[in-house]
């Protein structure tokens, strides 16, 4: 019985519009793109979407500093992010920004639903206020000591050291990051989402294996504590969507940014009239929804987002894929701390496939951080891609090009090794589905070693030296080329540029269902060097 193909939406967390993309951001987008490409390769129908997160005080203040309006900042960053993702062959079906008409309509709609269903309350609360700037301070513009672990220099909403969440008024020795002054406490009115009413349903949803086990344990620890109402509004001045019926209040950026997943998909549907928007979001839909996120935003996606959906009578995500961070010298990459590598600088130096492959070799379904080490990066790329994989096709195609008019043998007489390679397809497919890219790379490199070992044993150069330009030499090289074809098909989701060059050389399109079908009697193109080795001084 034929397995039914799936239909799915896949998203990445939205990059913020206040800066360029760095290699830390790219980990998630590359991980998701690999998974998208694999699902498309096996015939699943995938809609891959993402957006720039455009609201909040940071954008507003940046616009003031640059003497422009927030919309100009947003559009400038949007164009930059589109170019940067394209350079790394990250292919979104729709990439947009959250400050748009569709997202505003949906944010208002879901807010009204939540309010109508009794999940929104309005109450007076205390908030930190900058007396010099005369503004209520958003969480990201307050720093102080964590009230839980006493770590210094933590933001007003959560601690990056111990992971604790708290109110900004609980912060020890807070100060405004705008003026450096100690803020005062002032009363104000806000809208709150009653998260505690969703505790049981979200707990049940989490236990459906929607998140990795090691992450689930941490999330369930939060559920053992008191779940408090979530403040979903912010005071003027603020850049965002105004709350209907209010003059000086806006939706908190995390409220409309999460709804932006739906908004971005709605924009895709506006462009592609064949997609029925409603089919994807009603509660009992069979269409799947996957979110790729960093471990620093688990709380928002495992509690806030499913609560918004549950309270609005919409479907919840099928799964959350959580990953760790990229570190340099064991420190998390941070724009504010200047510990990042701008991708434009990197791209001027090397091929985008190299970073994709390096990340894939480190990525599993765990949330461990990945240390970016330049020497290790160079070693892996030169050894795996240049010395082994590219060498396999180079050494075999040269004989076919030069002595057999580019034509492969009509038969595979010695096909036992070919069968070994084919037999790995089911295992590799399961590993892709389960996000174990590092194991896939490990298996493929063992197969590459086996293929090169086979060629070394058969010694086609020896037959060439003896001027034995016979069927045996042609067949050995044909087997070598077909082993390469299987390997590059397995790597197709990871290495789009290498795949494109390989498909051109082999004169065929590589498909998952075509793995078992060898290239026989085909004409290949003249081999040209795919990539050059990396030297340390080219990067440093």
């Amino acid at each position: 019985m034929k397995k039914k193909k799936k239909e799915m939406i896949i998203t990445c967390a939205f990059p913020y519009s206040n800066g360029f993309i760095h290699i830390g951001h790219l980990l998630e987008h590359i991980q998701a793109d690999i998974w998208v490409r694999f699902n498309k390769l096996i015939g699943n129908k995938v809609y891959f979407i993402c957006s720039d997160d455009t609201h909040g005080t940071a954008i507003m203040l940046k616009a003031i500093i640059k003497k422009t309006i927030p919309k100009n900042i947003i559009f400038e960053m949007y164009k930059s992010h589109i170019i940067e993702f394209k350079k790394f062959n990250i292919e979104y079906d729709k990439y947009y920004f959250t400050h748009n008409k569709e997202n505003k309509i949906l944010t208002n709609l879901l807010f009204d639903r939540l309010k109508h269903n009794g999940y929104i309350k309005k109450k007076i609360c205390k908030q930190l206020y900058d007396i010099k700037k005369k503004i209520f301070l958003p969480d990201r513009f307050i720093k102080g000591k964590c009230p839980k672990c006493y770590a210094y220099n933590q933001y007003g909403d959560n601690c990056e050291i111990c992971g604790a969440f708290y109110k900004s008024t609980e912060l020890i020795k807070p100060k405004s990051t705008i003026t450096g002054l100690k803020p005062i406490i002032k009363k104000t009115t806000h809208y709150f989402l009653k998260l505690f009413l969703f505790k049981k349903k979200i707990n049940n949803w989490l236990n459906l294996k929607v998140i990795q086990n090691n992450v689930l344990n941490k999330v369930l620890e939060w559920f053992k504590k008191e779940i408090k109402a979530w403040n979903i509004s912010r005071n003027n001045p603020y850049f965002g969507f105004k709350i209907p019926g209010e003059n000086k209040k806006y939706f908190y950026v995390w409220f409309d940014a999460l709804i932006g997943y739906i908004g971005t998909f709605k924009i895709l549907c506006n462009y592609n009239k064949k997609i029925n928007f409603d089919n994807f979001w009603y509660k009992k839909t069979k269409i799947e929804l996957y979110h790729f996120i960093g471990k620093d935003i688990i709380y928002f996606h495992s509690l806030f987002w499913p609560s918004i959906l549950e309270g609005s009578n919409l479907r919840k995500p099928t799964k959350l894929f959580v990953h760790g961070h990229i570190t340099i010298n064991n420190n998390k990459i941070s724009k504010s701390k200047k510990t990042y590598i701008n991708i434009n600088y990197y791209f001027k130096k090397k091929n985008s496939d190299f970073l994709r492959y390096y990340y894939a070799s480190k990525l599993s379904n765990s949330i461990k951080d990945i240390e970016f080490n330049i020497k290790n990066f160079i070693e892996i790329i030169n050894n795996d891609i240049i010395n082994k994989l590219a060498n396999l096709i180079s050494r075999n195609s040269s004989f076919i090009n030069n002595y057999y008019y580019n034509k492969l043998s009509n038969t595979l007489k010695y096909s036992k090794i070919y069968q070994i390679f084919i037999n790995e397809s089911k295992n590799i497919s399961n590993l892709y589905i389960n996000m174990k890219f590092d194991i896939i790379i490990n298996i493929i490199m063992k197969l590459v070693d086996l293929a090169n070992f086979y060629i070394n044993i058969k010694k086609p150069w020896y037959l060439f030296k003896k001027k034995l330009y016979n069927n045996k030499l042609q067949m050995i090289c044909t087997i070598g080329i077909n082993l390469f074809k299987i390997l590059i098909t397995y790597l197709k989701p990871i290495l789009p540029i290498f795949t494109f060059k390989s498909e051109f050389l082999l004169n065929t399109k590589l498909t998952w269902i075509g793995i078992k079908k060898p290239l026989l009697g085909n004409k290949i193109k003249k081999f040209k060097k795919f990539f050059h080795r990396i030297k340390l001084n080219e990067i440093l």
Side-chain angles (χ1 to χ4, degrees):
M1 191 177 170
K2 227 177 181 182
K3 201 173 180 182
K4 194 179 176 184
K5 299 300 179 186
K6 293 180 178 182
E7 195 168 4
M8 56 181 74
I9 303 173
I10 299 173
T11 82
C12 284
F14 295 174
Y16 200 43
S17 282
N18 68 336
F20 297 104
I21 300 299
H22 58 63
I23 63 167
H25 294 126
L26 280 170
L27 177 72
E28 180 175 300
H29 295 267
I30 287 171
Q31 183 187 33
D33 185 76
I34 290 170
W35 206 67
V36 166
R37 285 173 183 269
F38 173 73
N39 275 286
K40 288 182 176 179
L41 191 59
I42 61 173
N44 289 331
K45 198 166 190 177
V46 179
Y47 302 98
F48 188 28
I49 61 169
C50 192
S51 272
D52 277 357
D53 182 3
T54 56
H55 291 154
T57 314
I59 299 294
M60 180 186 72
L61 292 174
K62 189 168 185 176
I64 292 168
I65 292 165
K66 288 199 164 191
K67 296 181 180 177
T68 184
I69 58 173
K71 285 182 184 178
N72 291 343
I73 300 284
I74 289 168
F75 198 62
E76 181 190 343
M77 280 296 106
Y78 167 69
K79 288 190 293 183
S80 168
H81 290 175
I82 287 278
I83 291 165
E84 288 164 349
F85 286 134
K86 196 173 181 181
K87 284 177 181 177
F88 284 83
N89 287 288
I90 295 158
E91 295 185 345
Y92 285 106
D93 295 293
K94 190 64 196 172
Y95 191 93
Y96 210 58
F97 43 83
T98 57
H99 190 72
N100 64 73
K101 182 181 73 177
E102 287 81 1
N103 199 32
K104 184 177 182 179
I105 291 168
L106 284 161
T107 299
N108 291 342
L109 175 66
L110 267 60
F111 177 69
D112 284 343
R113 281 193 190 179
L114 290 164
K115 198 160 64 167
H116 180 264
N117 293 335
Y119 297 121
I120 300 288
K121 67 177 178 180
K122 197 174 180 182
K123 69 171 186 175
I124 296 170
C125 55
K126 294 175 181 177
Q127 196 175 338
L128 296 178
Y129 185 85
D130 190 310
I131 52 174
K132 187 177 180 181
K133 283 287 181 182
K134 296 183 181 177
I135 60 170
F136 284 99
L137 289 166
D139 302 327
R140 293 278 125 174
F141 284 83
I142 308 159
K143 282 198 172 180
K145 268 173 79 173
C146 170
K148 309 292 181 182
C149 73
Y150 307 111
Y152 286 96
N153 214 28
Q154 298 307 307
Y155 288 114
D157 55 350
N158 79 292
C159 176
E160 290 185 324
I161 305 301
C162 71
F165 284 82
Y166 41 75
K167 294 177 185 175
S168 60
T169 49
E170 295 177 285
L171 210 59
I172 300 166
K173 292 185 178 178
K175 70 173 182 178
S176 165
T177 59
I178 306 168
T179 61
L181 298 174
K182 182 182 177 181
I184 64 167
I185 294 175
K186 194 172 179 179
K187 286 183 180 179
T188 184
T189 305
H190 280 297
Y191 287 91
F192 287 79
L193 178 63
K194 301 174 185 176
L195 288 177
F196 48 86
L197 295 179
F198 302 103
K199 188 173 180 178
K200 188 177 179 182
K201 286 190 176 179
I202 302 305
N203 193 52
N204 292 340
W205 168 72
L206 285 165
N207 279 296
L208 294 172
K209 295 187 175 178
V210 299
I211 202 164
Q212 297 107 299
N213 283 334
N214 52 352
V215 184
L216 176 62
N217 295 332
K218 184 178 180 179
V219 175
L220 293 179
E221 280 295 315
W222 292 333
F223 276 71
K224 289 176 185 176
K225 300 168 186 173
E226 182 189 0
I227 301 290
K228 296 179 181 179
W230 176 38
N231 186 344
I232 60 166
S233 62
R234 290 296 182 267
N235 288 312
N236 191 55
Y238 195 78
F239 178 63
F241 296 141
K242 270 189 177 178
I243 296 175
E246 294 280 357
N247 288 325
K248 295 184 177 181
K249 294 217 180 281
Y250 295 79
F251 287 114
Y252 174 40
V253 58
W254 264 108
F255 185 71
D256 73 74
L258 290 164
I259 295 167
Y261 290 129
I262 309 176
T264 307
F265 187 73
K266 182 72 173 84
I267 291 164
L268 174 64
C269 295
N270 293 347
Y271 280 90
N272 186 346
K273 301 297 182 186
K274 292 179 182 177
I275 308 170
N276 187 329
F277 173 79
D278 293 330
N279 286 349
F280 288 79
W281 299 100
Y282 74 93
K283 206 156 194 178
K284 293 186 179 179
T285 183
K286 299 292 181 188
I287 297 166
E288 298 176 353
L289 172 63
Y290 297 92
H291 294 304
F292 284 77
I293 61 168
K295 63 183 180 182
D296 55 333
I297 54 172
I298 297 169
Y299 203 78
F300 295 101
H301 286 79
S302 63
L303 179 58
F304 299 166
W305 178 222
S307 295
I308 292 170
L309 294 166
E310 181 66 38
S312 307
N313 204 32
L314 297 174
R315 60 89 44 81
K316 291 189 284 295
T318 310
K319 196 152 190 172
L320 307 175
F321 289 126
V322 185
H323 60 81
H325 300 300
I326 290 293
T327 60
I328 295 176
N329 299 324
N330 297 312
N331 290 311
K332 180 186 168 185
I333 292 178
S334 164
K335 278 184 281 190
S336 61
K337 295 173 185 174
K338 307 294 183 187
T339 56
Y340 70 95
I341 298 174
N342 186 292
I343 68 163
N344 288 316
Y345 174 78
Y346 168 83
F347 190 75
K348 283 175 188 172
K349 300 290 179 182
K350 287 295 138 207
N351 188 293
S352 65
D353 269 10
F354 293 170
L355 188 64
R356 291 176 66 101
Y357 183 87
Y358 182 73
Y359 280 170
S361 73
K362 308 284 183 183
L363 275 165
S364 66
N365 60 0
S366 81
I367 59 166
K368 287 191 299 185
D369 291 341
I370 294 171
E371 174 73 7
F372 185 88
N373 181 289
I374 288 177
K375 287 184 179 177
N376 180 241
F377 168 75
I378 292 170
E379 184 184 347
I380 286 174
I381 299 308
N382 285 344
N383 189 51
D384 289 8
I385 293 184
I386 311 297
N387 296 351
K388 293 182 178 181
L389 196 59
N391 184 49
L392 177 64
I393 187 61
S394 170
R395 68 201 302 210
N396 286 286
S397 59
S398 61
F399 289 109
I400 299 295
N401 290 149
N402 294 331
Y403 305 106
Y404 297 97
Y405 305 100
N406 304 318
K407 189 173 180 290
L408 300 175
S409 175
N410 291 317
T411 59
L412 285 184
K413 189 176 176 184
Y414 313 106
S415 59
K416 195 179 265 188
I417 189 170
Y418 184 77
Q419 196 60 45
I420 291 169
F421 278 51
I422 288 171
N423 290 345
E424 284 291 349
S425 64
K426 191 175 180 181
N427 182 29
I428 288 173
S429 179
N430 287 332
L431 290 167
Y432 265 120
I433 289 164
N434 291 298
M435 306 288 298
K436 296 180 180 179
F437 300 159
D438 56 341
I439 301 176
I440 292 169
I441 296 294
N442 190 262
I443 291 169
I444 288 171
M445 279 305 114
K446 284 179 180 175
L447 291 174
V448 175
D449 288 340
L450 181 60
N452 280 313
F453 178 74
Y454 170 82
I455 300 301
N456 289 341
I457 292 292
K458 294 298 179 181
K459 298 178 180 171
W461 54 88
Y462 177 79
L463 297 174
F464 163 72
K465 254 186 196 177
K466 297 290 182 182
K467 298 188 178 177
L468 299 171
Y469 310 144
N470 54 25
N471 291 343
K472 188 176 180 184
L473 173 57
Q474 186 186 22
M475 195 178 295
I476 290 166
C477 294
T478 297
I479 290 169
I481 287 170
N482 273 283
L483 297 181
F484 172 82
K485 170 189 168 280
I486 296 168
L487 292 166
I488 204 62
T489 305
Y490 290 154
L491 285 166
K492 187 172 183 176
I494 298 169
L495 300 175
I497 295 174
F498 202 117
T499 301
F500 176 79
K501 290 175 181 283
S502 300
E503 287 179 332
F504 179 79
L505 174 70
L506 300 176
N507 215 8
T508 190
K509 187 164 179 64
L510 300 173
T511 64
W512 201 262
I513 57 171
I515 284 170
K516 294 179 181 179
K517 189 179 177 182
L519 294 174
L520 298 173
N522 300 54
K523 276 202 163 187
I524 64 170
K525 298 280 198 320
K526 192 86 176 169
F527 176 79
K528 290 180 182 177
K529 200 167 192 174
F530 283 9
F531 304 122
H532 295 278
R533 288 172 61 81
I534 310 174
K535 294 175 184 175
L536 185 61
N537 63 1
E538 291 175 320
I539 296 180
L540 294 177

